[in-house]
């Protein structure tokens, strides 16, 4: 990657886009002027309407003059309510001054045809005119979905409740009983919502929509638009790799999308604070509350991976289109597909946990909602959302790179577009492209997360069955499906999955790593405890698993926990993913990316560090040896030690480790031996094995 | 030097069959030579040119530009090749100078080098009057001059020019043809594809006539005249189509 060139492409695209009137309108004018205006106007209109309805005269339907007179008589005694300080409320208007009656035959019909706000029928009156025992039973006919009907019924019920309370007090006084005797409970509700219920509900989805719509125009312009204007061909004859062109364009789209989101968020905040939106919302809904200023920067940061994801998806999709019009057609289903999970997440009561943590777009909506409402979020929840979104974005960028400038997309007709996936038209090659491998890993991430969740839910913590099915499904997702994909795309299975035999020195390295990695892993966890202690609840959740590890036969545990993961994870990560990255030739970048992907598949933030470190060693060994088998040995031994330690806790006494020790750290002599072994392993495999196929 | 060696390209058709757009095309263009690749619409010229610059992958055969194989070393090929076709558009919202500086940078120049090179090209193609104007506001001739300057940003030893005089007025046309001659004299290998056969007659050192993806004749203009017995290139071409296969190589 040449970052100077990417910067050149980025600035040129940015200047080019910002000189376009359409970008300025879509990205600046619309969020800064139009949205606040619409928001203010619609809220103001709604508020005016609600206020008007709230004080306007209501029409009560009754079936007889007698009922009307009885109700009027009751309403004449409506007391003035008291405010919080116990003083009579100032703005109170008794219902009798704003009510009118209409005598009708059919109350239901009168309400449904809007002749009256609500209908009231007095079903019975017991002990009439007896101040101590008089009791009325009313039937109220109301249409709650009609604001006028709902408000009429509410106002009538509230007035009668106040009159009823006043009568109760009078009766108690007559009986010389204190009110406290019949009121065992008193409630005072404190509203902890920091953001308005209305804003909290609207804003996350609105921001998602704005980020998406801000990215649409630049994504089309920089792909299908370029193609339509003929500049894409001009660009593709320059000595710049497709990856760099996509990177420059992608950063431009992300910038414009974020600019749109920022301007919109800023203008919403300004509308709320300076435009008096809070007051208006408050008039409509007591929970409207404030938009916390402190949450805005966090929301913006949280929007970055989302902007990255949408920009990448849009670039990939628009890359297929040959004209602006065609791209617009492709984008409509993308918008729907993007908004659907967002709307699911926005449903009341949905929480940021379980499958929602990795639901693309949905997790971002929930994160923004929770940040705005001041909900306490655990670090791992935020991490999971950001990491999964970044991974999806990576997959989409990979797809965009894969498609960009492909001749079938560039020059030909529909038949050629189909030919992109037609096996007959695919050229055989040795390794898969980075895009293909990353795309598979990005798709596998949520799929595997859901599979794991499903297994745990289905077997409701019957860990033996969870492990059994995991051991069956792991080879399917991590080995068989990748192998099928590689076969379909005519890649060479043996070198891609690094299934070749390894020379003895790499086996020795694998053995040494297998013997020592678990110590390093334990130390990583011990140091991590200082900054990110594992919550007790999580440790307790693991207890049944540990009990299971003691009960099940050793061979079975070794098979499902050590052998299967060691083989299939090595094939997928150190095999397919690392081989694709090998084509770039940048060793350390390849190792870091592989280790990061491997660690993310362990789904728990507390296992990220340890799996990353172990993944790095295993990736190094595979890179040097061009074979997964020494890594499989090391991986198997590492997992195997965990099983053996669970079954035979005293086993580690042989190494001078006290299994009952309070300290998380290993004894220093064990650490030193492990470090020496790791160093020896790295030294032994320091010389990379040449690519045998290339020599031949 | 530009070398096409048995180049073939097949495309899938909507009914699932395959159509051969270019069938075993071979020719070579030496330094200091203009090679005219001529043929009717749909003959396979554009596909051939795209294969030569790495935009389209050949189904079989190979192409070499200045010792770089197009398939195995596509980036190196793009460094030594200037490509200009009717399809290579310009950025409408950038000025002529911006375009030249941008492409200079994409060819690996520093900002200062790219600016200097842009100045030279603006001077060479007499574009000073409109160098600061956005490309969207230029006339066809001005755009074409800018596009040629863009193709020459890296001063490549090989040039592919597809319809370089399309839509140009008499003056711009003369500037263009003089430029092609000048580049030939500077020792560059040039492929010129055009429908203006009189231009090809006067400009090209060698001519390849292509029909239905195949090279049906190749040679200098006098050689083609001698072989066919016709005087004008258009007559030669028509005669060859009717008498196919005729090999005058």
């Amino acid at each position: 990657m040449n970052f100077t060139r990417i910067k050149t492409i980025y600035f040129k695209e940015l200047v080019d886009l910002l000189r376009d009137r359409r970008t300025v309108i879509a990205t600046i004018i619309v969020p800064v002027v139009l949205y606040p205006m619409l928001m203010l106007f619609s809220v103001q209109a709604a508020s005016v309407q609600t206020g008007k309805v709230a004080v306007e005269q209501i029409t009560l339907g009754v079936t007889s003059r007698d009922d009307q007179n009885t109700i009027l008589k009751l309403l004449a005694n409506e007391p003035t309510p008291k405010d919080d300080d116990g003083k009579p409320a100032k703005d109170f208007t008794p219902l009798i001054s704003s009510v009118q009656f209409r005598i009708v035959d059919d109350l239901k019909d009168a309400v449904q045809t809007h002749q009256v706000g609500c209908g009231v029928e007095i079903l019975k009156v017991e002990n009439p005119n007896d101040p101590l025992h008089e009791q009325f039973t009313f039937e109220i006919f109301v249409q709650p979905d009609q604001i006028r009907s709902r408000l009429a019924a509410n106002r009538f019920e509230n007035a009668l409740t106040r009159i009823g309370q006043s009568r109760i007090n009078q009766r108690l006084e007559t009986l010389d009983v204190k009110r406290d005797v019949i009121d065992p409970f008193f409630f005072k509700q404190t509203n902890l919502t920091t953001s308005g219920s209305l804003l909290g509900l609207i804003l996350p989805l609105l921001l998602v929509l704005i980020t998406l719509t801000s990215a649409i125009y630049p994504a089309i312009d920089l792909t299908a638009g370029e193609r339509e204007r003929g500049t894409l061909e001009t660009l593709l004859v320059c000595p710049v790799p497709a990856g760099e062109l996509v990177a420059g364009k992608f950063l431009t789209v992300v910038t414009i999308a974020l600019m749109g989101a920022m301007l919109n968020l800023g203008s919403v905040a300004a509308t709320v604070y300076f435009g008096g939106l809070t007051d208006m919302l408050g008039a409509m809904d007591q929970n409207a509350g404030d938009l916390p200023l402190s949450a805005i920067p966090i929301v913006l940061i949280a929007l970055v991976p989302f902007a990255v994801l949408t920009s990448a998806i849009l670039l990939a999709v628009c890359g297929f289109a040959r004209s602006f019009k065609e791209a617009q057609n492709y984008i409509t289903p993308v918008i729907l597909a993007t908004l659907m999970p967002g709307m699911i997440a926005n449903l009341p009561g949905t929480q940021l946990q379980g499958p929602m943590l990795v639901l693309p777009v949905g997790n971002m909506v929930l994160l923004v909602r929770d940040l705005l409402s001041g909900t306490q979020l655990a670090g791992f929840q935020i991490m999971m959302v950001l990491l999964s979104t970044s991974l999806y974005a990576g997959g989409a960028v990979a797809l965009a790179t894969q498609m960009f400038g492909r001749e079938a997309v560039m020059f030909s007709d529909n038949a050629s577009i189909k030919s992109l996936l037609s096996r007959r038209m695919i050229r055989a090659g040795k390794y898969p492209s980075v895009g293909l491998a990353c795309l598979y890993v990005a798709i596998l991430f949520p799929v595997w997360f859901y599979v794991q969740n499903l297994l745990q839910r289905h077997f409701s913590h019957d860990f033996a069955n969870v492990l059994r099915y995991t051991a069956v499904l792991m080879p399917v997702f991590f080995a068989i499906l990748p192998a099928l994909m590689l076969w379909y795309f005519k890649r060479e299975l043996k070198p891609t999955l690094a299934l070749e035999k390894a020379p003895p020195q790499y086996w020795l390295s694998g053995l040494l790593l297998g013997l020592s990695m678990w110590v390093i892993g334990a130390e990583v966890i011990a140091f991590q405890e200082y900054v990110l202690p594992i919550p007790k609840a999580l440790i307790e959740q693991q207890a049944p698993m540990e009990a299971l590890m003691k009960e099940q036969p050793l061979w079975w545990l070794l098979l499902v926990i050590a052998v299967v993961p060691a083989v299939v994870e090595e094939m997928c990560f150190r095999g397919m993913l690392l081989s694709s990255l090998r084509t770039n030739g940048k060793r350390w970048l390849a190792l870091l990316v592989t280790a990061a992907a491997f660690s993310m598949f362990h789904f728990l933030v507390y296992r990220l560090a340890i799996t990353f470190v172990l993944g790095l060693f295993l990736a190094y060994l595979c890179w040097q040896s061009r074979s997964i088998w020494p890594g499989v040995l090391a991986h198997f031994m590492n997992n195997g030690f965990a099983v053996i330690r669970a079954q035979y806790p005293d086993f580690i006494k042989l190494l001078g480790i006290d299994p009952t020790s309070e300290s998380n750290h290993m004894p220093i002599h064990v650490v030193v031996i492990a470090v020496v072994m790791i160093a020896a392993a790295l030294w032994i495999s320091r010389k990379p094995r040449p690519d045998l196929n290339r020599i031949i | 030097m530009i070398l096409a060696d048995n180049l073939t390209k097949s495309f899938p058709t909507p009914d699932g069959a395959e159509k051969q757009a270019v069938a075993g095309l071979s020719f070579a263009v030496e330094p200091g030579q203009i090679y005219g690749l001529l043929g009717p619409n749909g003959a396979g010229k554009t596909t051939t040119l795209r294969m030569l610059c790495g935009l389209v992958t050949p189904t079989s055969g190979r192409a070499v530009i200045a010792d770089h194989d197009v398939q195995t070393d596509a980036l190196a090929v793009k460094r030594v090749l200037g490509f200009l076709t009717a399809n290579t558009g310009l950025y409408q919202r950038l000025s002529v100078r911006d375009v030249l500086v941008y492409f200079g940078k994409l060819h690996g120049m520093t900002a200062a080098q790219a600016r200097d090179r842009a100045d030279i090209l603006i001077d060479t193609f007499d574009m000073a009057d409109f160098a600061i104007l956005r490309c969207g506001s230029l006339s066809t001739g001005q755009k074409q001059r800018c596009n040629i300057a863009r193709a020459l940003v890296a001063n490549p030893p090989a040039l592919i020019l597809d319809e370089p005089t399309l839509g140009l007025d008499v003056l711009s046309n003369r500037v263009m043809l003089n430029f092609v001659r000048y580049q030939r004299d500077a020792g560059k290998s040039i492929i010129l594809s055009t429908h203006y056969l009189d231009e090809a007659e006067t400009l090209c050192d060698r001519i390849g006539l292509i029909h239905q993806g195949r090279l049906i004749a190749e040679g200098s203009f006098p050689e083609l005249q001698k072989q066919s017995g016709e005087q004008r290139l258009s007559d030669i071409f028509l005669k060859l189509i009717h008498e196919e296969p005729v090999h005058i190589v």
Side-chain angles (χ1 to χ4, degrees):
Chain A
M1 280 274 174
N2 182 326
F3 292 101
T4 313
R5 232 167 11 209
I6 292 174
K7 199 176 84 182
T8 302
I9 296 163
Y10 170 72
F11 281 113
K12 178 257 149 196
E13 300 291 16
L14 206 57
V15 168
D16 197 14
L17 272 173
L18 290 175
R19 281 180 182 173
D20 188 3
R21 207 171 40 234
R22 285 171 292 188
T23 316
V24 176
I25 291 171
T27 321
I28 299 171
I29 308 288
V30 169
V32 172
V33 181
L34 196 65
Y35 282 129
M37 269 174 61
L38 278 177
M39 200 182 260
L40 273 176
F41 177 75
S42 54
V43 173
Q44 208 161 25
S47 147
V48 165
Q49 184 64 13
T50 314
K52 213 169 86 184
V53 172
V55 296
E56 75 182 12
Q57 210 165 44
I58 64 166
T59 307
L60 288 186
V62 285
T63 47
S64 67
R65 181 75 61 190
D66 285 348
D67 279 4
Q68 179 184 335
N69 290 337
T70 310
I71 293 168
L72 271 174
K73 209 171 138 191
L74 284 172
L75 291 178
N77 294 316
E78 185 182 357
T80 305
K82 289 175 180 172
D83 63 15
D84 291 344
D85 303 328
K87 293 175 186 168
K90 281 179 187 170
D91 301 332
F92 175 71
T93 316
L95 186 62
I96 198 162
S97 63
S98 58
V99 70
Q100 62 178 20
F101 289 89
R102 179 175 287 183
I103 298 167
V104 293
D105 294 331
D106 186 348
L107 284 174
K108 277 186 194 171
D109 181 64
V111 174
Q112 279 169 344
T113 54
H114 310 307
Q115 295 173 45
V116 297
C118 69
V120 180
E121 189 175 358
I122 301 173
L123 294 180
K124 63 178 176 184
V125 184
E126 287 181 34
N127 310 311
N129 302 321
D130 175 357
L132 267 181
H133 299 99
E134 192 180 35
Q135 197 174 46
F136 293 84
T137 305
F138 296 99
E139 184 170 6
I140 300 174
F141 296 84
V142 59
Q143 235 185 329
D145 56 332
Q146 295 291 324
I147 184 170
R148 279 196 166 78
S149 179
R150 195 173 66 234
L151 278 174
N154 283 348
R155 286 175 69 187
F156 180 66
E157 275 185 36
N158 288 342
L160 284 191
T161 306
R162 275 191 290 274
I163 296 161
Q165 289 296 326
S166 157
R167 285 197 166 197
I168 290 171
N169 289 342
Q170 284 169 11
R171 288 175 187 183
L172 290 173
E173 263 178 42
T174 314
L175 296 170
D176 200 20
V177 177
K178 285 193 172 177
R179 177 77 202 223
D180 303 4
V181 175
I182 60 159
D183 282 337
F185 301 114
F186 291 95
F187 298 98
K188 184 174 182 255
Q189 214 176 51
T190 307
N191 189 351
L192 291 176
T193 315
T194 50
S195 76
S197 57
L198 222 54
L199 274 179
L201 201 69
I202 299 168
L203 206 53
L205 211 54
L206 186 69
L207 282 174
V208 162
L209 192 65
I210 287 293
T211 316
L212 186 69
T213 46
S214 304
I216 288 175
Y217 179 71
I220 299 179
D221 192 71
L222 298 189
T223 49
E226 277 231 30
R227 191 178 166 194
E228 202 170 50
R229 295 187 295 268
T231 47
L232 194 55
E233 197 164 333
T234 316
L235 196 59
L236 288 172
V237 292
C238 288
V240 184
E244 288 178 19
L245 289 173
V246 173
K249 286 171 179 289
F250 166 67
L251 289 175
T252 313
V253 181
V254 172
T255 307
I256 302 276
L258 278 176
M259 200 194 286
M262 269 160 71
L263 285 171
N264 194 68
L265 192 60
S267 80
V268 167
T271 315
V272 168
Y273 284 97
F274 307 119
L277 190 69
T278 318
D279 299 338
M280 285 182 219
L281 287 172
M284 289 167 64
D285 178 357
Q286 287 187 337
N287 293 324
D290 282 335
L291 179 72
L293 269 183
S294 57
I296 289 176
I298 309 169
V299 170
L300 273 181
I301 293 168
L303 273 178
V304 173
F306 176 71
V308 166
L309 175 63
T310 43
S311 305
I313 292 174
L314 289 172
L315 264 190
V317 172
C318 297
F320 276 103
R322 283 153 293 171
S323 67
F324 226 93
K325 211 171 167 185
E326 194 179 323
Q328 282 171 328
N329 290 339
Y330 290 165
I331 271 177
T332 312
V334 173
I335 295 174
L336 288 176
T338 311
L339 287 183
M340 203 61 85
M343 285 159 87
I344 290 169
N346 221 22
L347 292 173
T350 317
Q351 287 185 317
L352 187 56
Q353 52 186 247
M356 296 310 288
L357 280 170
V358 295
L359 181 73
V361 184
N363 58 3
M364 192 51 64
V365 169
L366 284 174
L367 181 71
V368 172
R369 187 199 68 185
D370 287 353
L371 286 173
L372 281 176
S373 64
T375 307
Q376 289 290 319
L377 288 170
F380 91 93
Q381 287 175 298
I382 299 176
M383 191 91 125
M384 203 65 192
V385 175
L386 298 186
L387 283 179
S388 58
T389 306
S390 308
L391 189 69
Y392 303 145
V397 172
L399 182 67
T401 312
Q402 183 89 353
M403 290 299 119
F404 192 78
R406 286 280 290 267
E407 64 180 79
V409 181
M410 274 285 294
F411 302 115
S412 304
D413 51 15
N414 287 325
S416 298
I417 301 280
K418 281 180 202 158
S419 78
L420 277 173
L421 290 172
S422 158
R423 190 165 189 271
R424 193 167 51 91
M425 302 304 292
I426 295 171
R427 273 178 163 255
K430 188 174 178 183
Y431 294 131
S433 66
V434 180
L436 189 63
C438 287
L439 190 65
Y440 184 81
V441 171
I443 293 171
L444 183 60
F445 181 75
V447 170
W448 189 240
F449 185 85
Y450 289 132
V451 167
Q452 293 273 292
N453 257 280
L454 210 67
L455 286 178
Q456 287 192 7
R457 204 173 296 173
H458 187 70
F459 294 111
S460 60
H461 302 292
D462 172 3
F463 280 99
N465 259 327
V466 172
L467 276 181
R468 189 170 294 127
Y469 279 90
T470 303
V472 173
L473 292 172
M474 257 194 131
V476 174
F477 287 104
F478 289 82
I480 296 172
L481 285 177
L484 281 175
M485 183 188 75
L486 293 169
W487 166 82
Y488 190 82
F489 285 97
K490 295 183 183 172
R491 304 295 112 173
E492 288 179 31
L493 274 187
K494 214 171 169 184
T496 298
L497 297 179
L499 299 175
E500 324 240 357
K501 285 180 196 160
Q505 70 269 27
Y506 300 110
W507 281 102
L508 183 59
S509 286
L511 183 70
L512 288 170
L513 284 178
L515 286 169
S516 53
M517 278 196 315
W518 63 279
V519 179
I520 302 300
E523 281 305 298
V524 169
I525 294 276
F527 280 107
Q528 185 182 277
E529 274 291 307
Y530 296 119
V531 284
L532 191 67
I534 301 175
K536 276 188 181 161
L538 195 69
I539 297 171
E540 281 163 17
Q541 267 181 25
Q542 299 291 322
M545 181 72 181
E546 281 179 18
L548 176 91
M549 298 255 281
K550 285 177 186 157
E551 291 161 10
Q552 297 291 326
L554 183 64
W555 69 267
W556 185 82
L557 285 172
L558 283 176
L559 180 71
V560 298
I561 294 177
V563 175
V564 172
V567 175
V568 301
E569 286 182 352
E570 290 308 309
M571 282 169 88
C572 184
F573 295 105
R574 263 66 68 176
M576 182 185 67
L577 184 59
L578 189 64
S579 296
S580 73
L581 292 160
R582 209 181 265 279
T583 50
N584 277 350
K586 288 182 179 154
R587 183 172 66 172
W588 284 107
L589 183 70
L591 301 189
L592 288 171
V593 170
T594 310
F598 175 65
S599 66
M600 282 178 69
F601 269 75
H602 290 80
F603 299 122
L604 267 181
V605 73
Y606 307 99
R607 293 177 70 185
L608 276 181
I610 176 176
T611 45
F612 180 78
V613 172
L614 301 186
L616 212 51
F617 287 136
L618 293 170
Y620 175 81
L621 188 57
C622 184
W623 181 279
Q624 298 295 92
S625 64
R626 289 182 181 272
S627 166
I628 56 164
W629 300 116
V632 168
L633 174 69
H635 198 151
F636 164 76
M637 288 175 72
N638 182 70
N639 291 13
F641 272 127
V643 174
I644 291 171
R645 277 179 69 183
Q647 289 233 330
Y648 305 102
D650 290 346
F651 156 74
I652 51 173
K653 276 186 185 169
L654 295 172
L655 303 169
I657 304 169
D658 178 8
T660 58
S661 166
E662 291 272 302
S663 168
N664 291 318
H665 288 283
M666 289 279 161
I668 189 71
H669 70 275
V670 176
V671 176
V672 169
I673 293 170
V675 169
V676 169
M677 280 177 152
I678 297 262
L682 300 181
W683 187 80
I684 290 166
S685 55
R686 70 192 181 283
K687 217 173 159 189
R689 183 185 174 197
D691 184 356
L692 295 176
N693 293 347
R694 194 165 281 179
I695 291 168
I696 291 164
Chain B
M1 178 175 167
I2 301 172
L3 175 75
D5 181 14
N6 206 18
L7 279 179
T8 303
K9 181 68 187 177
S10 302
F11 288 113
T13 55
D15 57 13
E18 275 185 33
K19 181 194 166 201
Q20 221 170 31
V22 177
L25 206 63
S26 297
F27 60 86
V29 187
E30 301 295 333
Q33 198 177 59
I34 299 174
Y35 186 93
L37 193 63
L38 312 178
N41 292 334
K45 298 189 303 289
T46 303
T47 305
T48 305
L49 300 182
R50 282 176 176 163
M51 281 194 280
L52 287 173
C53 71
L55 285 175
V56 167
T57 313
T59 309
S60 66
R62 72 185 192 120
V64 179
I65 314 281
D67 298 330
H68 301 287
D69 190 300
V70 174
Q71 270 187 278
T72 57
D73 206 358
L75 285 182
V77 165
K78 289 173 183 176
R79 267 183 222 113
V80 294
L81 184 68
F83 190 73
L84 171 77
T85 76
N87 296 319
T88 45
L90 293 168
Y91 292 105
Q92 306 291 299
R93 300 185 287 264
L94 294 191
S95 71
V96 172
R97 180 183 292 278
D98 289 342
V99 166
L100 297 179
V101 171
Y102 177 57
F103 283 97
K105 286 180 181 173
L106 290 187
H107 275 84
M109 295 177 195
T110 63
Q113 287 170 335
R115 279 195 298 270
D116 289 348
R117 181 70 184 151
D119 286 339
I120 293 170
L121 289 167
I122 286 167
D123 192 41
T124 307
F125 289 97
D126 198 17
M127 299 191 290
D129 290 345
F130 55 89
I132 55 163
L133 297 183
R134 291 187 187 178
C135 294
S137 64
L138 302 181
S139 68
T140 311
Q142 288 169 329
K143 274 183 191 161
Q144 192 69 334
R145 272 192 266 174
C146 177
N147 220 337
I148 288 169
R150 191 268 312 154
L152 285 172
V153 155
N155 199 16
L159 280 173
I160 291 178
L161 307 172
D162 188 7
E163 302 289 355
T165 53
L166 189 71
L168 295 188
D169 59 30
V170 182
L171 286 174
S172 299
N173 197 49
R174 197 174 61 182
V175 171
M176 180 66 65
L177 297 181
N178 285 340
F179 151 78
V180 177
R181 281 193 196 95
Y182 176 79
Q183 293 296 321
R184 187 242 330 257
D185 296 344
K188 299 194 176 181
S189 309
I190 301 170
I191 295 182
L192 177 75
S193 171
T194 179
H195 281 118
Y196 302 122
L197 299 183
D198 51 334
E199 275 176 19
E201 286 171 11
T202 55
L203 265 180
C204 298
D205 302 302
R206 286 182 75 75
I207 293 169
L209 295 176
I210 183 171
H211 181 56
Q212 292 178 343
R214 292 172 197 281
L215 197 64
I216 54 170
E218 190 189 49
S220 65
F221 181 50
E223 281 171 349
L224 291 174
Q225 282 176 316
K226 198 174 162 191
Q227 295 292 332
S228 63
E230 300 287 345
Q231 289 307 302
R232 290 162 58 87
L233 200 48
S234 51
D235 295 334
I236 296 172
F237 186 72
L238 287 172
K239 188 171 183 184
L240 286 172
I241 290 174
H242 292 303
E243 293 181 8
E244 199 185 26
V246 173
H247 300 285
I248 316 175
V249 180

